[in-house]
Amino acid sequence: MKLKKIIIAILLIFFIGGICFIFSSEEEAREDVKIIGGFYDSAVNEKVVPGDAICYSEYYYNTNISKDISSTYLSVDSENIAEVRKYMERFEDRFLYSTDKGKKDFTENLDEGDYYFLDSGCSSELSENHFKLYYYDSEAYTLYYMWRCQ
């Protein structure tokens, strides 16, 4: 009887731990106010070593979230598309993981009418080595997040 209670307690602990693990990636995304909740799936890839950090993530939505982000993100237009492309290409060329190179299409999908938010990475200075770029592809309902800090 005592053994049965111990087994049930262990199973409950694993069950609760599993549920926490499943929802942990969405919780992490909620900590970043630029990543809108409600995505149905995500792919998060982080690499952090002393003095260097890189993050590339994709968040997938069932519906267009343009209205939800339009107050904090900027609309991609003819005046700023070159700047957005510059950071995307820099990230893709220099910082995207070698296993992902040639497999990601965020640069090809960059269009006027999409949304982006550009900020410094880990310092107060925005540069090609210190930046956070959030890019929302309104046709694919996908939010791309690229972060580089050195």
Side-chain angles (χ1 to χ4, degrees):
M1 190 65 143
K2 192 174 185 180
L3 180 63
K4 199 175 200 179
K5 287 182 180 179
I6 292 171
I7 292 172
I8 290 173
I10 291 171
L11 289 174
L12 279 173
I13 290 170
F14 280 113
F15 178 73
I16 292 170
I19 289 174
C20 291
F21 177 77
I22 290 170
F23 292 105
S24 66
S25 64
E26 187 166 347
E27 276 300 315
E28 289 171 16
R30 277 192 221 145
E31 290 176 13
D32 188 336
V33 295
K34 299 292 184 255
I35 299 172
I36 303 300
F39 51 90
Y40 67 86
D41 198 5
S42 63
V44 178
N45 198 350
E46 293 182 353
K47 177 182 175 185
V48 179
V49 295
D52 196 10
I54 298 170
C55 180
Y56 174 78
S57 304
E58 295 179 2
Y59 298 90
Y60 313 108
Y61 298 86
N62 285 320
T63 59
N64 192 339
I65 61 165
S66 295
K67 290 181 183 176
D68 299 323
I69 62 175
S70 62
S71 63
T72 54
Y73 284 53
L74 297 173
S75 179
V76 176
D77 60 26
S78 61
E79 294 179 17
N80 59 30
I81 196 167
E83 180 182 34
V84 177
R85 185 177 311 281
K86 176 181 85 170
Y87 283 98
M88 284 180 160
E89 288 174 349
R90 172 77 173 174
F91 191 87
E92 187 173 27
D93 292 343
R94 300 282 313 275
F95 310 122
L96 192 64
Y97 303 108
S98 58
T99 55
D100 289 335
K101 286 198 186 284
K103 298 178 185 173
K104 301 300 178 183
D105 56 0
F106 50 83
T107 306
E108 294 172 9
N109 291 342
L110 178 61
D111 293 314
E112 291 184 24
D114 290 337
Y115 290 87
Y116 79 99
F117 184 87
L118 184 60
D119 199 3
S120 63
C122 58
S123 69
S124 58
E125 179 184 328
L126 176 64
S127 72
E128 292 180 349
N129 288 321
H130 297 278
F131 66 90
K132 286 183 179 182
L133 175 63
Y134 303 82
Y135 165 65
Y136 179 66
D137 181 346
S138 55
E139 288 182 16
Y141 302 157
T142 302
L143 177 64
Y144 300 93
Y145 172 56
M146 298 161 223
W147 177 55
R148 167 68 173 144
C149 176
Q150 180 184 24

